[in-house]
């Protein structure tokens, strides 16, 4: 699978190529390390993928909470006020599709941005994610620029510390 290939590439090449934060987030978009804070739920069963996302977001004042499957995600969302959820699709116990249906319909969290994270980037898979109520899709293996752009889009992060009244608005 694509996930297995990604894990093998990480093991062979090492993680350091993913751990450097690209200039995209700081220089192109002007985001300073302290200008915004948010609680983010990362729903991902693969520990390595969890660590990669945490490392990419390290130093940006985000509180990252993790869940290893959809059931855990639902329980955490019941009791915490997250500003964004990154949701893997294929997980044990409950997948991201079923979890999103419950979050949207039973927990009535219609405004919570849920971003699909999956190795399946085919249009049919993306459409399936969007049709159950996910707001967006980023593909794995993760590309840091895609992750950062998603944060900008869905959290309406100020463009720079000097222009805090200027926010990027998500396309809904």
């Amino acid at each position: 699978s694509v996930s297995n290939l990604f894990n093998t590439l990480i093991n062979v090449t090492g993680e350091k190529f993913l751990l450097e934060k690209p200039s995209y987030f700081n220089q192109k978009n002007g985001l300073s390390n302290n200008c915004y804070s948010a609680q983010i739920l990362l729903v991902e069963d693969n520990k390595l993928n969890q660590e990669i996302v945490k490392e990419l977001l390290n130093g940006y004042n985000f509180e990252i909470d993790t869940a290893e499957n959809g059931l855990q995600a639902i329980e955490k969302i019941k009791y915490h006020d997250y500003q964004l959820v990154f949701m893997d699709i294929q997980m044990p116990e409950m997948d991201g599709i079923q979890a999103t249906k419950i979050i949207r319909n039973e927990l009535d969290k219609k405004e919570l941005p849920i971003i699909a994270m999956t190795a399946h980037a085919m249009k049919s898979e993306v459409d399936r994610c969007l049709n159950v109520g996910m707001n967006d899709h980023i593909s794995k293996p993760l590309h840091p620029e895609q992750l950062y752009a998603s944060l900008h889009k869905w959290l309406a992060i100020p463009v720079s510390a000097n222009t805090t009244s200027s926010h990027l608005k998500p396309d809904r």
Side-chain angles (χ1 to χ4, degrees), residues 19-20 33 61 67 71-72 74 76-77 87 105 122 129 141 158-159 170:
L19 300 182
E20 282 186 35
N33 292 359
N61 210 24
L71 288 174
Q72 289 179 6
I74 289 165
K76 288 184 178 229
I77 289 169
M87 179 80 71
N105 300 321
M122 295 187 311
C129 294
V159 173

Side-chain angles (χ1 to χ4, degrees), residues 22-156:
S23 59
Y24 175 87
F25 213 30
N26 284 330
Q27 293 172 3
K28 181 177 177 188
N29 296 318
L31 182 67
S32 77
N33 292 359
N34 313 346
C35 77
Y36 190 84
S37 87
Q39 290 186 325
I40 297 172
L41 178 61
L42 171 62
V43 188
E44 169 66 65
D45 61 320
N46 182 297
K47 295 284 190 195
L48 180 60
N49 288 341
Q50 286 180 9
E51 291 306 313
I52 290 169
V53 171
K54 286 181 191 177
E55 183 62 32
L56 288 171
L57 300 181
N58 184 32
Y60 288 109
N61 210 24
F62 297 120
E63 292 179 40
I64 311 297
D65 196 3
T66 57
E68 294 185 7
N69 60 57
L71 288 174
Q72 289 179 6
I74 289 165
E75 286 304 306
K76 288 184 178 229
I77 289 169
K78 281 181 186 177
Y79 302 107
H80 298 322
D81 186 26
Y82 297 105
Q83 283 75 51
L84 183 120
V85 176
F86 286 114
M87 179 80 71
D88 188 12
I89 300 303
Q90 295 183 335
M91 297 176 287
E93 296 186 51
M94 181 183 286
D95 66 26
I97 297 292
Q98 187 62 37
T100 298
K101 288 178 184 176
I102 293 170
I103 292 164
R104 294 295 190 223
N105 300 321
E106 294 178 27
L107 301 184
D108 198 34
K109 299 280 187 173
K110 307 256 190 260
E111 297 299 316
L112 176 64
I114 301 175
I115 312 305
M117 292 182 13
T118 178
H120 302 285
M122 295 187 311
K123 183 175 175 3
S124 61
E125 184 68 15
V126 174
D127 288 345
R128 186 173 88 131
C129 294
L130 297 176
N131 288 337
V132 299
M134 293 183 175
N135 299 86
D136 209 344
H137 172 276
I138 57 178
S139 59
K140 293 193 282 189
L142 290 173
H143 298 280
E145 291 84 3
Q146 194 177 21
L147 181 72
Y148 298 143
S150 184
L151 290 168
H152 251 284
K153 180 178 181 179
W154 294 105
L155 292 178

